[in-house]
Amino acid sequence: MYVAFAGGVGGAKLAHGLSRILPPDRLTIAVNTGDDFDHLGYRICPDLDTVMYTLAGIANPETGWGIRDETWAFMDRQERDGGATWFRLGDKDLETHAARLAMLRDGRTLSAATAELSARHGIAHRIVPASDDPVRTHVATTDEGTLPFQDYFVRLHCAPEVLGFSFDGADAAAPAPALVDALDSRELEAVVLCPSNPYVSIGPILAIPEIRARLEKRTRPCVSVSPIVGGKALKGPAAKMMRELGLDPSAATVAEFYRGLVDGFVLDRTDAALEDDVRQFVPHVLIADTVMTSDDDRARLAGEVVAFAESLAG
Protein backbone atom coordinates (compact mmCIF):
# COMPACT_ATOMS: atom_id res chain seq x y z
CA MET A 1 0.00 0.00 0.00
CA TYR A 2 1.32 3.42 -1.02
CA VAL A 3 -0.08 6.60 0.50
CA ALA A 4 0.35 9.71 -1.63
CA PHE A 5 -0.16 13.19 -0.19
CA ALA A 6 -1.27 15.58 -2.91
CA GLY A 7 -2.60 19.03 -3.66
CA GLY A 8 -2.67 21.24 -6.72
CA VAL A 9 -1.92 20.38 -10.33
CA GLY A 10 1.57 18.93 -9.80
CA GLY A 11 0.34 16.68 -7.04
CA ALA A 12 -2.60 15.53 -9.15
CA LYS A 13 -0.30 14.64 -12.05
CA LEU A 14 1.91 12.36 -9.97
CA ALA A 15 -1.14 10.87 -8.23
CA HIS A 16 -2.45 10.04 -11.69
CA GLY A 17 0.88 8.48 -12.61
CA LEU A 18 0.82 6.34 -9.48
CA SER A 19 -2.73 5.23 -10.30
CA ARG A 20 -1.49 4.02 -13.68
CA ILE A 21 1.17 1.72 -12.23
CA LEU A 22 -0.40 0.65 -8.92
CA PRO A 23 -3.67 -1.28 -8.57
CA PRO A 24 -6.45 0.27 -6.47
CA ASP A 25 -5.67 -1.87 -3.43
CA ARG A 26 -2.09 -0.54 -3.35
CA LEU A 27 -2.77 3.21 -3.47
CA THR A 28 -4.56 5.74 -1.27
CA ILE A 29 -4.39 9.40 -2.30
CA ALA A 30 -4.82 11.83 0.61
CA VAL A 31 -5.66 15.33 -0.58
CA ASN A 32 -5.26 18.78 0.94
CA THR A 33 -8.48 20.44 2.12
CA GLY A 34 -6.96 23.71 3.31
CA ASP A 35 -8.13 25.36 0.09
CA ASP A 36 -11.77 24.40 0.67
CA PHE A 37 -14.31 27.18 1.15
CA ASP A 38 -17.98 28.02 0.78
CA HIS A 39 -18.91 30.07 -2.26
CA LEU A 40 -22.29 30.93 -3.80
CA GLY A 41 -23.87 28.46 -1.41
CA TYR A 42 -21.65 25.53 -2.41
CA ARG A 43 -18.78 23.73 -0.66
CA ILE A 44 -15.84 24.07 -3.02
CA CYS A 45 -12.97 21.57 -2.65
CA PRO A 46 -10.47 22.63 -5.33
CA ASP A 47 -7.69 20.13 -4.65
CA LEU A 48 -9.99 17.15 -4.20
CA ASP A 49 -11.70 18.02 -7.47
CA THR A 50 -8.41 18.56 -9.32
CA VAL A 51 -7.17 15.12 -8.26
CA MET A 52 -10.52 13.54 -9.08
CA TYR A 53 -10.84 15.16 -12.50
CA THR A 54 -7.23 14.27 -13.32
CA LEU A 55 -7.65 10.59 -12.44
CA ALA A 56 -10.93 10.53 -14.35
CA GLY A 57 -9.18 11.89 -17.44
CA ILE A 58 -11.45 14.92 -17.77
CA ALA A 59 -9.24 17.71 -16.37
CA ASN A 60 -8.77 20.79 -18.52
CA PRO A 61 -5.40 20.14 -20.21
CA GLU A 62 -4.66 23.85 -20.56
CA THR A 63 -5.05 24.78 -16.89
CA GLY A 64 -4.66 21.42 -15.13
CA TRP A 65 -7.75 22.21 -13.06
CA GLY A 66 -11.43 22.32 -13.92
CA ILE A 67 -13.07 20.21 -16.63
CA ARG A 68 -12.16 20.22 -20.30
CA ASP A 69 -14.65 21.66 -22.79
CA GLU A 70 -16.35 23.53 -19.96
CA THR A 71 -19.27 25.90 -20.54
CA TRP A 72 -20.00 29.05 -18.56
CA ALA A 73 -23.71 29.83 -18.72
CA PHE A 74 -23.99 29.97 -14.93
CA MET A 75 -21.12 32.44 -14.56
CA ASP A 76 -22.39 34.53 -17.48
CA ARG A 77 -25.70 34.86 -15.63
CA GLN A 78 -23.85 35.73 -12.42
CA GLU A 79 -21.93 38.46 -14.21
CA ARG A 80 -25.08 39.85 -15.82
CA ASP A 81 -26.83 40.01 -12.45
CA GLY A 82 -23.88 41.56 -10.64
CA GLY A 83 -22.98 38.43 -8.67
CA ALA A 84 -19.56 37.28 -7.53
CA THR A 85 -17.50 36.14 -10.49
CA TRP A 86 -13.94 36.26 -9.12
CA PHE A 87 -14.02 32.48 -8.52
CA ARG A 88 -15.43 30.95 -11.66
CA LEU A 89 -17.55 27.81 -11.51
CA GLY A 90 -18.12 26.09 -14.82
CA ASP A 91 -21.44 24.44 -15.60
CA LYS A 92 -19.99 20.90 -15.56
CA ASP A 93 -17.97 21.62 -12.45
CA LEU A 94 -21.05 23.01 -10.75
CA GLU A 95 -22.70 19.60 -10.85
CA THR A 96 -19.90 18.26 -8.64
CA HIS A 97 -20.41 21.02 -6.09
CA ALA A 98 -24.18 20.56 -6.05
CA ALA A 99 -23.87 16.80 -5.56
CA ARG A 100 -21.31 17.24 -2.78
CA LEU A 101 -23.48 19.82 -1.03
CA ALA A 102 -26.49 17.51 -1.11
CA MET A 103 -24.49 14.66 0.41
CA LEU A 104 -23.01 16.85 3.14
CA ARG A 105 -26.46 18.20 4.00
CA ASP A 106 -27.67 14.62 4.30
CA GLY A 107 -25.07 14.10 7.00
CA ARG A 108 -22.47 12.24 4.97
CA THR A 109 -18.82 12.94 5.66
CA LEU A 110 -16.52 14.58 3.15
CA SER A 111 -14.78 11.19 2.81
CA ALA A 112 -18.08 9.51 1.92
CA ALA A 113 -19.00 12.27 -0.52
CA THR A 114 -15.59 12.05 -2.17
CA ALA A 115 -15.88 8.27 -2.52
CA GLU A 116 -19.30 8.61 -4.15
CA LEU A 117 -18.16 11.34 -6.54
CA SER A 118 -15.07 9.31 -7.47
CA ALA A 119 -17.24 6.28 -8.19
CA ARG A 120 -19.51 8.37 -10.41
CA HIS A 121 -16.41 9.29 -12.44
CA GLY A 122 -15.32 5.68 -12.73
CA ILE A 123 -12.30 6.05 -10.47
CA ALA A 124 -11.31 2.79 -8.78
CA HIS A 125 -8.44 4.19 -6.71
CA ARG A 126 -9.20 5.63 -3.30
CA ILE A 127 -9.14 9.42 -3.03
CA VAL A 128 -9.68 10.74 0.49
CA PRO A 129 -9.58 14.18 2.10
CA ALA A 130 -6.78 14.50 4.62
CA SER A 131 -9.51 15.13 7.20
CA ASP A 132 -13.28 15.21 7.36
CA ASP A 133 -12.95 18.10 9.81
CA PRO A 134 -12.55 21.64 8.44
CA VAL A 135 -8.98 22.87 8.05
CA ARG A 136 -8.71 26.28 6.42
CA THR A 137 -5.52 27.89 5.15
CA HIS A 138 -5.01 31.59 5.79
CA VAL A 139 -2.22 33.69 4.32
CA ALA A 140 -0.65 36.53 6.31
CA THR A 141 0.38 39.37 3.99
CA THR A 142 2.12 42.71 4.38
CA ASP A 143 -0.49 44.85 2.65
CA GLU A 144 -3.80 42.98 2.86
CA GLY A 145 -3.65 41.53 6.36
CA THR A 146 -4.56 37.88 6.84
CA LEU A 147 -6.54 36.45 3.94
CA PRO A 148 -8.49 33.24 3.38
CA PHE A 149 -6.48 31.23 0.89
CA GLN A 150 -8.81 31.62 -2.09
CA ASP A 151 -8.93 35.38 -1.63
CA TYR A 152 -5.15 35.44 -1.81
CA PHE A 153 -4.80 32.86 -4.55
CA VAL A 154 -7.70 33.61 -6.90
CA ARG A 155 -9.26 36.97 -6.05
CA LEU A 156 -5.92 38.77 -5.63
CA HIS A 157 -3.92 36.52 -8.00
CA CYS A 158 -1.21 35.88 -5.35
CA ALA A 159 -0.15 39.53 -5.59
CA PRO A 160 0.17 40.41 -1.86
CA GLU A 161 3.55 39.80 -0.24
CA VAL A 162 3.47 36.73 1.99
CA LEU A 163 4.50 36.79 5.65
CA GLY A 164 3.37 33.32 6.69
CA PHE A 165 0.55 30.80 6.87
CA SER A 166 -1.90 29.45 9.42
CA PHE A 167 -4.21 26.45 9.27
CA ASP A 168 -7.37 27.11 11.20
CA GLY A 169 -8.88 23.98 12.69
CA ALA A 170 -5.83 21.80 12.09
CA ASP A 171 -5.02 21.32 15.79
CA ALA A 172 -8.46 19.83 16.45
CA ALA A 173 -8.79 17.93 13.16
CA ALA A 174 -8.60 14.14 12.98
CA PRO A 175 -7.21 12.34 9.94
CA ALA A 176 -9.82 10.82 7.66
CA PRO A 177 -10.51 7.23 8.77
CA ALA A 178 -9.35 5.72 5.47
CA LEU A 179 -6.08 7.64 5.76
CA VAL A 180 -5.53 6.31 9.28
CA ASP A 181 -6.22 2.79 8.05
CA ALA A 182 -3.73 3.17 5.22
CA LEU A 183 -0.95 4.69 7.33
CA ASP A 184 -1.44 2.11 10.09
CA SER A 185 -1.77 -0.84 7.73
CA ARG A 186 0.70 -3.69 7.92
CA GLU A 187 0.61 -3.54 4.12
CA LEU A 188 1.97 0.03 4.02
CA GLU A 189 4.93 0.11 1.64
CA ALA A 190 5.80 3.81 1.47
CA VAL A 191 4.49 7.36 1.69
CA VAL A 192 4.95 9.73 -1.25
CA LEU A 193 4.78 13.51 -0.92
CA CYS A 194 3.81 14.60 -4.42
CA PRO A 195 5.35 17.67 -6.11
CA SER A 196 2.87 20.03 -4.48
CA ASN A 197 3.44 23.41 -2.85
CA PRO A 198 5.03 22.47 0.50
CA TYR A 199 3.53 25.44 2.33
CA VAL A 200 -0.11 25.48 1.22
CA SER A 201 -0.73 22.05 -0.30
CA ILE A 202 1.25 19.63 1.87
CA GLY A 203 1.61 22.01 4.83
CA PRO A 204 -2.09 21.90 5.82
CA ILE A 205 -1.97 18.09 5.84
CA LEU A 206 1.15 18.02 8.01
CA ALA A 207 -0.45 20.59 10.36
CA ILE A 208 -2.89 17.90 11.54
CA PRO A 209 -1.05 16.55 14.60
CA GLU A 210 -2.03 12.89 14.21
CA ILE A 211 -0.85 12.84 10.60
CA ARG A 212 2.49 14.41 11.38
CA ALA A 213 2.98 12.10 14.35
CA ARG A 214 2.39 9.06 12.15
CA LEU A 215 4.97 10.26 9.64
CA GLU A 216 7.49 10.92 12.39
CA LYS A 217 6.98 7.40 13.76
CA ARG A 218 6.87 5.67 10.39
CA THR A 219 8.71 2.42 9.83
CA ARG A 220 8.36 2.54 6.04
CA PRO A 221 10.07 4.97 3.66
CA CYS A 222 8.73 8.42 2.89
CA VAL A 223 9.78 9.98 -0.41
CA SER A 224 9.22 13.54 -1.62
CA VAL A 225 9.30 14.89 -5.17
CA SER A 226 10.45 18.48 -5.55
CA PRO A 227 7.90 20.96 -6.94
CA ILE A 228 10.74 23.42 -7.66
CA VAL A 229 12.79 22.98 -10.82
CA GLY A 230 15.55 25.39 -11.77
CA GLY A 231 14.45 27.83 -9.08
CA LYS A 232 10.90 28.00 -10.41
CA ALA A 233 7.59 26.40 -9.54
CA LEU A 234 6.16 24.63 -12.56
CA LYS A 235 2.70 25.68 -11.40
CA GLY A 236 1.56 28.07 -8.70
CA PRO A 237 3.20 30.57 -6.35
CA ALA A 238 5.62 28.36 -4.36
CA ALA A 239 8.79 30.10 -5.61
CA LYS A 240 7.27 33.56 -5.06
CA MET A 241 6.29 32.56 -1.53
CA MET A 242 9.82 31.36 -0.79
CA ARG A 243 11.38 34.63 -1.93
CA GLU A 244 8.94 36.68 0.14
CA LEU A 245 9.66 34.52 3.19
CA GLY A 246 13.35 35.28 2.75
CA LEU A 247 14.16 31.81 1.46
CA ASP A 248 16.05 30.64 -1.60
CA PRO A 249 13.51 29.31 -4.13
CA SER A 250 15.20 25.98 -4.66
CA ALA A 251 14.72 22.25 -4.27
CA ALA A 252 17.11 22.37 -1.31
CA THR A 253 14.71 24.70 0.50
CA VAL A 254 11.91 22.18 -0.05
CA ALA A 255 14.15 19.43 1.31
CA GLU A 256 14.84 21.53 4.40
CA PHE A 257 11.10 22.03 4.91
CA TYR A 258 10.64 18.25 4.97
CA ARG A 259 13.68 17.54 7.14
CA GLY A 260 12.99 14.72 9.59
CA LEU A 261 9.88 13.61 7.71
CA VAL A 262 11.28 12.11 4.51
CA ASP A 263 13.95 9.54 3.78
CA GLY A 264 14.33 10.16 0.07
CA PHE A 265 14.10 13.22 -2.17
CA VAL A 266 13.56 13.24 -5.93
CA LEU A 267 15.51 16.04 -7.57
CA ASP A 268 15.11 17.14 -11.18
CA ARG A 269 18.12 16.71 -13.47
CA THR A 270 18.16 20.48 -13.96
CA ASP A 271 19.07 20.78 -10.27
CA ALA A 272 21.60 17.94 -10.09
CA ALA A 273 24.22 20.37 -8.78
CA LEU A 274 22.09 20.78 -5.63
CA GLU A 275 22.40 17.12 -4.65
CA ASP A 276 24.89 17.77 -1.84
CA ASP A 277 22.77 20.66 -0.54
CA VAL A 278 19.69 18.43 -0.47
CA ARG A 279 21.61 15.68 1.34
CA GLN A 280 22.10 18.05 4.27
CA PHE A 281 18.40 17.58 5.01
CA VAL A 282 17.41 14.27 3.38
CA PRO A 283 19.79 11.29 3.37
CA HIS A 284 18.90 9.77 0.00
CA VAL A 285 18.51 11.55 -3.34
CA LEU A 286 17.24 10.36 -6.71
CA ILE A 287 17.95 12.49 -9.76
CA ALA A 288 15.25 12.13 -12.39
CA ASP A 289 13.25 13.96 -15.05
CA THR A 290 10.42 15.28 -12.90
CA VAL A 291 8.62 17.52 -15.41
CA MET A 292 5.42 15.76 -16.46
CA THR A 293 4.10 16.95 -19.83
CA SER A 294 2.24 13.78 -20.81
CA ASP A 295 0.44 10.83 -19.26
CA ASP A 296 3.45 8.66 -20.08
CA ASP A 297 5.70 11.10 -18.21
CA ARG A 298 3.46 10.76 -15.17
CA ALA A 299 3.60 6.96 -15.24
CA ARG A 300 7.37 6.96 -15.87
CA LEU A 301 8.07 9.26 -12.94
CA ALA A 302 5.68 7.32 -10.72
CA GLY A 303 7.55 4.12 -11.56
CA GLU A 304 10.88 5.72 -10.67
CA VAL A 305 9.46 7.03 -7.39
CA VAL A 306 8.11 3.59 -6.45
CA ALA A 307 11.42 1.92 -7.34
CA PHE A 308 13.26 4.53 -5.26
CA ALA A 309 10.98 3.90 -2.28
CA GLU A 310 11.47 0.16 -2.65
CA SER A 311 15.24 0.59 -2.66
CA LEU A 312 15.02 2.51 0.63
CA ALA A 313 12.88 -0.18 2.20
CA GLY A 314 15.78 -2.62 1.86
Side-chain angles (χ1 to χ4, degrees):
M1 167 70 74
Y2 278 76
V3 176
F5 289 179
V9 174
K13 286 181 176 181
L14 185 58
H16 179 226
L18 290 167
S19 76
R20 290 190 61 188
I21 67 165
L22 295 172
D25 62 351
R26 288 187 63 199
L27 178 63
T28 295
I29 304 164
V31 182
N32 168 49
T33 59
D35 296 9
D36 296 6
F37 75 127
D38 294 330
H39 184 62
L40 299 177
Y42 298 99
R43 174 67 49 81
I44 313 299
C45 302
D47 281 357
L48 278 168
D49 292 344
T50 295
V51 171
M52 182 173 64
Y53 295 156
T54 301
L55 264 66
I58 61 171
N60 183 336
E62 296 180 1
T63 62
W65 49 264
I67 299 176
R68 68 168 178 252
D69 300 324
E70 185 62 277
T71 59
W72 302 96
F74 175 76
M75 292 310 300
D76 290 344
R77 182 62 178 261
Q78 280 287 116
E79 185 173 14
R80 190 193 73 180
D81 294 345
T85 58
W86 62 270
F87 192 97
R88 292 177 62 78
L89 301 176
D91 301 325
K92 298 177 182 178
D93 187 37
L94 195 62
E95 194 278 332
T96 296
H97 307 312
R100 179 187 293 117
L101 179 63
M103 286 185 271
L104 294 176
R105 284 181 171 172
D106 284 343
R108 301 180 69 177
T109 64
L110 183 58
S111 289
T114 301
E116 173 63 25
L117 289 169
S118 295
R120 292 183 186 184
H121 283 91
I123 300 169
H125 291 77
R126 180 177 290 175
I127 302 171
V128 301
S131 177
D132 288 326
D133 301 318
V135 175
R136 298 293 179 261
T137 299
H138 284 74
V139 183
T141 71
T142 57
D143 43 355
E144 296 284 345
T146 299
L147 297 166
F149 180 76
Q150 295 300 342
D151 283 76
Y152 164 81
F153 186 64
V154 178
R155 185 173 65 83
L156 297 176
H157 308 289
C158 305
E161 182 179 353
V162 168
L163 293 173
F165 312 97
S166 58
F167 309 108
D168 293 359
D171 287 345
L179 176 56
V180 172
D181 290 345
L183 290 173
D184 290 353
S185 171
R186 292 181 180 180
E187 305 301 320
L188 179 66
E189 299 169 77
V191 176
V192 177
L193 306 186
C194 291
S196 305
N197 186 312
Y199 305 105
V200 296
S201 291
I202 304 298
I205 301 175
L206 299 179
I208 298 172
E210 286 188 48
I211 294 178
R212 189 175 190 95
R214 279 178 164 81
L215 286 186
E216 291 173 343
K217 296 175 182 177
R218 71 195 181 279
T219 59
R220 308 303 293 169
C222 180
V223 172
S224 171
V225 181
S226 179
I228 301 292
V229 176
K232 298 179 181 179
L234 296 178
K235 193 80 174 178
K240 174 183 182 291
M241 289 173 171
M242 289 177 177
R243 287 191 295 270
E244 292 170 356
L245 292 170
L247 302 171
D248 178 34
S250 74
T253 300
V254 179
E256 183 176 12
F257 182 83
Y258 291 137
R259 177 169 50 184
L261 291 176
V262 303
D263 306 291
F265 193 88
V266 182
L267 184 67
D268 191 82
R269 293 190 190 281
T270 301
D271 295 319
L274 296 176
E275 181 175 359
D276 288 343
D277 295 332
V278 170
R279 287 186 187 275
Q280 295 182 55
F281 310 111
V282 180
H284 304 282
V285 176
L286 173 69
I287 297 175
D289 295 320
T290 65
V291 179
M292 296 170 281
T293 58
S294 69
D295 287 356
D296 287 343
D297 284 341
R298 300 173 189 182
R300 173 196 49 76
L301 179 60
E304 293 179 3
V305 169
V306 166
F308 185 36
E310 289 177 349
S311 74
L312 299 181

